[in-house]
């Protein structure tokens, strides 16, 4: 009986120890999770990148890797969209890399690898992760509201590393579409994309006769859907 009692005591102690270990591990995982989320959001739009705004005084003094694959800069007033535009060898290059080439869950804003880097195609396409709190292209959510879209139609595109080519961007259409609707992403056949936008836009202010720059991100409520904000590229 004494031996049985000792065995039961040992098992109880072991059980308590395992519960304590599980509790500590749970705390560690939770703390790491909070830290990871904090780290990701703290490094979205790293303030160092603003040294690379072509009209920044620091730009000419900069010699960091961001300039090597940067093809422009996009800015939309008070929407929070104010980022360098990168372009890699494929559309995976900057999916999870920041403009410096470092791993980053938030990735970069990047131009479709099939597009011309000087934005002269009839249909150019930018991608960006949908992040919470309007970070990266999470700000595109707001464009699904017609009043917001109408009040935030104007943006600026600086083309090239030197940013000497400045183009006015004017939002003309907003749509939600399934990611499998290839016509919405058909940069090689601009007319297909134009027709798709014209026929499927939830909000439209008229189709332009100018080249189009489309901003695309995941829909925060449905991973299978995409939000696209289509802009006319002006002079």
């Amino acid at each position: 009986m004494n031996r049985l009692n000792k065995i039961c005591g040992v098992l109880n102690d072991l059980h308590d120890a395992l519960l304590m270990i599980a509790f500590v591990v749970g705390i560690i995982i939770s703390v790491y999770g909070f830290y990871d989320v904090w780290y990701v959001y703290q490094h979205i739009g790293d303030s160092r990148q603003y040294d690379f705004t072509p009209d920044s005084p620091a730009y000419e003094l900069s010699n960091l890797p961001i300039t090597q694959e940067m093809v422009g800069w996009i800015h939309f007033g008070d929407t929070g969209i104010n980022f360098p535009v990168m372009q890699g060898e494929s559309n995976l290059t900057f999916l999870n890399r920041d403009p410096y080439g470092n791993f980053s869950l938030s990735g970069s804003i990047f131009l479709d690898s099939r597009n011309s880097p000087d934005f002269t195609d009839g249909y150019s396409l930018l991608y960006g992760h949908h992040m919470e709190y309007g970070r990266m292209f999470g700000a595109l959510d707001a464009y699904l509201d017609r009043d917001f879209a109408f009040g935030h139609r104007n943006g600026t595109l600086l083309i090239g590393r030197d940013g000497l080519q400045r183009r006015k961007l004017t939002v003309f259409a907003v749509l939600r579409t399934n990611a499998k609707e290839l016509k919405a992403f058909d940069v090689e056949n601009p007319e297909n994309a134009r027709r798709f936008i014209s026929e499927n836009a939830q909000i439209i202010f008229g189709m332009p006769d100018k080249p189009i720059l489309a901003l695309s991100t995941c829909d925060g409520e449905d991973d299978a859907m995409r939000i696209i904000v289509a802009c006319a590229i002006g002079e």
Side-chain angles (χ1 to χ4, degrees):
M1 182 64 69
N2 289 336
R3 184 174 182 181
L4 180 59
N5 289 336
K6 289 182 179 179
I7 293 175
C8 289
V10 171
L11 291 176
N12 285 333
D13 291 341
L14 180 59
H15 177 264
D16 292 342
L18 290 175
L19 285 178
M20 180 59 68
I21 292 172
F23 176 75
V24 172
V25 170
I27 291 292
I28 292 173
I29 291 174
S30 297
V31 170
Y32 177 79
F34 283 119
Y35 169 77
D36 188 54
V37 171
W38 173 86
Y39 183 86
V40 168
Y41 281 96
Q42 286 297 313
H43 288 77
I44 294 174
D46 188 330
S47 61
R48 292 177 302 163
Q49 72 184 15
Y50 296 113
D51 287 346
F52 296 94
T53 308
D55 54 7
S56 164
Y59 181 78
E60 293 184 359
L61 303 177
S62 301
N63 190 29
L64 296 176
I66 191 173
T67 60
Q68 302 305 309
E69 295 172 287
M70 187 176 82
V71 295
W73 195 282
I74 187 170
H75 177 57
F76 264 89
D78 61 355
T79 65
I81 296 175
N82 187 21
F83 299 105
V85 177
M86 313 304 291
Q87 186 179 39
E89 294 182 359
S90 79
N91 287 338
L92 297 178
T93 304
F94 285 98
L95 185 65
N96 290 120
R97 285 172 54 194
D98 67 17
Y100 303 99
N102 301 317
F103 174 76
S104 170
L105 289 176
S106 60
S108 300
I109 304 303
F110 61 94
L111 178 66
D112 194 296
S113 61
R114 299 168 295 173
N115 276 131
S116 173
D118 59 4
F119 296 87
T120 54
D121 294 329
Y123 187 63
S124 298
L125 188 58
L126 296 187
Y127 303 95
H129 282 304
H130 181 283
M131 307 297 291
E132 296 293 337
Y133 312 113
R135 301 292 187 92
M136 300 302 283
F137 271 0
L140 297 185
D141 279 358
Y143 278 91
L144 293 171
D145 179 86
R146 186 180 183 85
D147 290 339
F148 181 92
F150 184 78
H152 296 80
R153 294 186 65 191
N154 298 323
T156 302
L157 175 67
L158 302 179
I159 301 175
R161 296 176 187 170
D162 54 17
L164 294 179
Q165 299 182 61
R166 182 182 293 264
R167 297 287 184 267
K168 179 180 179 181
L169 298 177
T170 305
V171 173
F172 70 88
V174 184
L175 62 151
R176 290 179 73 248
T177 183
N178 193 288
K180 295 181 180 180
E181 291 286 358
L182 299 183
K183 290 181 180 179
F185 309 96
D186 193 355
V187 299
E188 295 172 314
N189 296 282
E191 286 307 313
N192 284 343
R194 293 178 67 91
R195 189 177 305 111
F196 184 85
I197 292 172
S198 176
E199 295 174 353
N200 294 276
Q202 279 77 40
I203 299 172
I204 191 163
F205 301 110
M207 290 296 296
D209 58 2
K210 299 177 180 179
I212 294 172
L213 177 64
L215 286 56
S216 173
T217 192
C218 295
D219 187 323
E221 298 181 356
D222 187 345
D223 289 342
M225 300 296 289
R226 298 292 181 268
I227 297 172
I228 296 178
V229 175
C231 312
I233 302 177
E235 296 301 323

